């Protein structure tokens, strides 16, 4: 399937909130509630796979785009 016509790329409303010990993830009209342990595991999986995809795309940039020189600050 061509990425340009994939329905997965359409813009969706995404939100994450907490309800007591549960984390609620809403994407479009779908919603899932999960224990916080599962949410942490999911976030780790997404981070790792996101880094893999970034490398595959050839993006070697870092989070920080510049480093400030702090000499003279008091």
């Amino acid at each position: 399937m061509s990425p340009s016509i994939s329905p997965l790329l359409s813009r969706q409303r995404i939100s994450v909130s907490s309800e007591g010990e549960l984390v609620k993830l809403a994407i479009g009209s779908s919603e899932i509630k999960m224990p916080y342990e599962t949410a942490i595991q999911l976030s780790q999986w997404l981070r790792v796979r996101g880094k893999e995809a970034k490398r595959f795309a050839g993006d070697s940039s870092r989070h920080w785009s510049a480093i400030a020189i702090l000499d003279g600050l008091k």
Side-chain angles (χ1 to χ4, degrees):
M1 179 181 283
S2 172
S4 62
I5 60 171
S6 173
L8 297 176
L9 295 178
S10 63
R11 194 164 276 224
Q12 296 287 328
R13 178 188 57 85
I14 299 173
S15 66
V16 180
S17 59
S18 60
E19 294 181 358
E21 294 182 5
L22 297 177
V23 175
K24 181 173 77 171
L25 171 63
I27 302 174
S29 61
S30 300
E31 181 179 295
I32 184 171
K33 292 181 183 178
M34 63 193 93
Y36 69 87
E37 298 95 341
T38 303
I40 291 170
Q41 183 179 28
L42 179 61
S43 72
Q44 291 170 339
W45 288 345
L46 288 169
R47 182 179 169 94
V48 168
R49 298 304 172 225
K51 284 184 173 187
E52 285 178 1
K54 180 180 176 180
R55 267 195 314 275
F56 183 80
D59 185 349
S60 61
S61 64
R62 298 273 184 196
H63 177 71
W64 296 101
S65 59
I67 298 174
I69 297 173
L70 301 177
D71 290 342
L73 288 180
K74 296 187 185 210

